[in-house]
Amino acid sequence: MMFPTAFLLLSLVSAVTSSYVNDFDERFQYICPLGESIAYWESYHSNYYEDRRYKFICQKTPQLFNCHWHNNVNKLKGPLSFQCPKDAVIRGVSSYHENRHEDRLFTFLCCSLLGSPYLAHCVKTDFVNNWDQRLTFRVPIRHFLRGVSSTYSNYYHDRRWKFETCSIQ
């Protein structure tokens, strides 16, 4: 009877150890498979490159449709405040690093929920990382990622991040 437990542990390990989607100073585009949205966001900072590497994990999400990219939602070295339109969640993230400014431009793929279910019980986090420190954010159970915000530091050449999640009513 140890087989199911061992299989579960191996499954969890493989999900947590998925690879980073970018190298330092390189652009990336990450899109969850059809029917899924972002459930886990991780990154770490390098002072040498003054950039971050990113990792995402997805979760099953009820009946997504009508997906649209929202391009360059921030200015270099400026604040970022993004929220998907009503009843939509984040399915993808794209980013370009500008070496001259040591910052990134971000773009998000939002998908509506079929039948326009009502997103409710939305919660915004405080900053989940500090300057030059690892960022690890896991969407709470039965919640979905709706928005992100961040602030940039000229001193650290880095961003601190906040997240907004909602449940489906």
Side-chain angles (χ1 to χ4, degrees), residues 29-31 67-71 91-94 107-110:
Q29 182 178 67
Y30 182 83
I31 302 172
C67 299
H68 295 285
W69 282 102
H70 297 267
N71 296 324
R91 181 178 164 216
V93 182
S94 179
T107 298
F108 295 96
L109 178 64
C110 293

Side-chain angles (χ1 to χ4, degrees), residues 59-135:
Q59 69 177 338
K60 297 250 183 252
T61 306
Q63 302 176 320
L64 295 177
F65 81 110
N66 198 22
C67 299
H68 295 285
W69 282 102
H70 297 267
N71 296 324
N72 299 332
V73 300
N74 65 302
K75 292 188 169 142
L76 293 169
K77 296 187 172 188
L80 182 156
S81 182
F82 177 76
Q83 187 179 70
C84 285
K86 182 180 179 200
D87 291 335
V89 296
I90 297 176
R91 181 178 164 216
V93 182
S94 179
S95 182
Y96 166 78
H97 185 262
E98 174 62 56
N99 279 325
R100 189 166 63 100
H101 296 285
E102 296 297 6
D103 193 20
R104 287 185 166 274
L105 294 174
F106 285 87
T107 298
F108 295 96
L109 178 64
C110 293
C111 298
S112 298
L113 299 162
L114 188 62
S116 293
Y118 180 71
L119 288 176
H121 310 291
C122 297
V123 176
K124 292 182 180 179
T125 68
D126 288 328
F127 288 112
V128 297
N129 68 304
N130 210 338
W131 309 115
D132 293 342
Q133 300 298 312
R134 181 174 294 274
L135 177 159

Side-chain angles (χ1 to χ4, degrees), residues 2 4 11 22 27 32 44-45 48 67 69-71 79 98-99 107-108 115 117 148 150 152 158:
M2 286 185 49
S11 298
N22 68 305
R27 68 177 61 228
C32 290
Y44 70 95
H45 185 264
Y48 177 80
C67 299
W69 282 102
H70 297 267
N71 296 324
E98 174 62 56
N99 279 325
T107 298
F108 295 96
V148 298
S150 74
Y152 181 83
D158 192 21

Side-chain angles (χ1 to χ4, degrees), residues 1 10 12 14 27 31 42 51 56 97 114 118 130 146 149:
M1 285 302 200
L10 287 173
L12 291 173
S14 67
R27 68 177 61 228
I31 302 172
E42 179 182 314
D51 190 24
F56 304 95
H97 185 262
L114 188 62
Y118 180 71
N130 210 338
R146 181 179 182 204
S149 61

Side-chain angles (χ1 to χ4, degrees), residues 35-54:
E36 297 185 11
S37 64
I38 292 180
Y40 178 84
W41 179 309
E42 179 182 314
S43 71
Y44 70 95
H45 185 264
S46 164
N47 284 325
Y48 177 80
Y49 291 101
E50 294 298 0
D51 190 24
R52 286 182 169 271
R53 292 186 71 200
Y54 291 85

